[in-house]
Amino acid sequence: MKYKFEHPIISRIGMEKYKCTVEWRHGKFIADEPESSGGKDLGPDPHTLLLSSLATCTLATLRMYIDHKGWDIPQIAASVNMYFEEKEGKKVTVIDRDLDFLTPVTDEQRERLIQIAKACPISKLLGGEIQIRTFAYSENEEKEKHTYTNGDITVAWKPELCRHAARCATQLPTVFNPQAKPWVNTDGATSQEIKDQVARCPTGALSIKK
């Protein structure tokens, strides 16, 4: 298993309803709820973010394809909305995506671009099987720490925060083996490979001791 991102997307909320700060690889932005839901509408709400991901992924995928074909289609717009309905006792989410090429296209081009839009990565993700796994921890749970070194770097492990040892074992098995004692073998990979793996730890159970 390998995560999509080297570092996870992190979101935090304090006492201000319902302002969330979202951290991504190059900065931060604010998400919020509309005033009708008790927020201040300081940023996009979760449903807007979901639809925005589909719209932007669609447009980027179409731009790549159009440029590859050398077609003269300088601008594209995507309008996305959603509604819910009951089908056979189950709640079904329906997302409508309207594409506007803003310049004339042939019928053949239009049909091909519709198929390309359906194949964009977020379309495939939303149309496929999704599993959401949830882990919970508290930063105040620290009780003990173990260290492992190869003489170059030292890995610190907080077992009370560890929730994902199996992930490390899958991604860098020559270093991390939950069945072994000690379970961290710092001679099993280069220092940089170990640093990269430790950086992927989402709970802070693993760190590089300075």
Side-chain angles (χ1 to χ4, degrees), residues 27-53:
K28 300 179 181 180
F29 66 90
I30 292 174
D32 200 357
E33 292 286 347
E35 293 182 1
S36 59
S37 297
K40 295 182 180 179
D41 216 10
L42 298 175
D45 62 87
H47 288 98
T48 297
L49 290 170
L50 175 66
L51 295 181
S52 296
S53 69

Side-chain angles (χ1 to χ4, degrees), residues 60-74 76:
T61 302
L62 289 175
R63 173 51 60 203
M64 292 177 191
Y65 184 81
I66 289 169
D67 290 349
H68 174 72
K69 285 291 188 179
W71 291 347
D72 184 19
I73 305 177
I76 322 164

Side-chain angles (χ1 to χ4, degrees), residues 111-131:
E111 183 57 35
R112 183 56 183 158
L113 292 172
I114 288 174
Q115 298 306 315
I116 295 298
K118 291 179 179 179
C120 85
I122 296 299
S123 291
K124 290 183 176 180
L125 187 153
L126 293 175
E129 181 178 351
I130 298 176
Q131 297 181 4

Side-chain angles (χ1 to χ4, degrees), residues 60-185:
T61 302
L62 289 175
R63 173 51 60 203
M64 292 177 191
Y65 184 81
I66 289 169
D67 290 349
H68 174 72
K69 285 291 188 179
W71 291 347
D72 184 19
I73 305 177
Q75 293 188 2
I76 322 164
S79 300
V80 187
N81 212 331
M82 66 195 305
Y83 66 91
F84 310 100
E85 63 182 14
E86 293 286 335
K87 285 187 177 180
E88 299 179 354
K90 295 182 180 180
K91 183 178 180 179
V92 177
T93 302
V94 180
I95 299 177
D96 286 337
R97 170 176 48 192
D98 297 327
L99 303 176
D100 187 351
F101 298 109
L102 304 177
T103 52
V105 297
T106 67
D107 290 342
E108 182 179 354
Q109 286 175 324
R110 180 182 294 103
E111 183 57 35
R112 183 56 183 158
L113 292 172
I114 288 174
Q115 298 306 315
I116 295 298
K118 291 179 179 179
C120 85
I122 296 299
S123 291
K124 290 183 176 180
L125 187 153
L126 293 175
E129 181 178 351
I130 298 176
Q131 297 181 4
I132 300 176
R133 306 192 303 175
T134 302
F135 306 90
Y137 66 98
S138 170
E139 292 184 355
N140 297 323
E141 291 177 346
E142 181 175 353
K143 296 178 182 178
E144 59 178 322
K145 179 188 294 185
H146 302 277
T147 58
Y148 312 87
T149 184
N150 61 6
D152 179 31
I153 62 169
T154 298
V155 176
W157 175 51
K158 302 174 185 177
E160 73 279 358
L161 298 183
C162 189
R163 303 290 186 274
H164 312 86
R167 302 183 189 183
C168 290
T170 299
Q171 295 171 356
L172 197 59
T174 56
V175 173
F176 300 98
N177 180 3
Q179 307 304 319
K181 291 185 179 182
W183 83 287
V184 179
N185 172 23

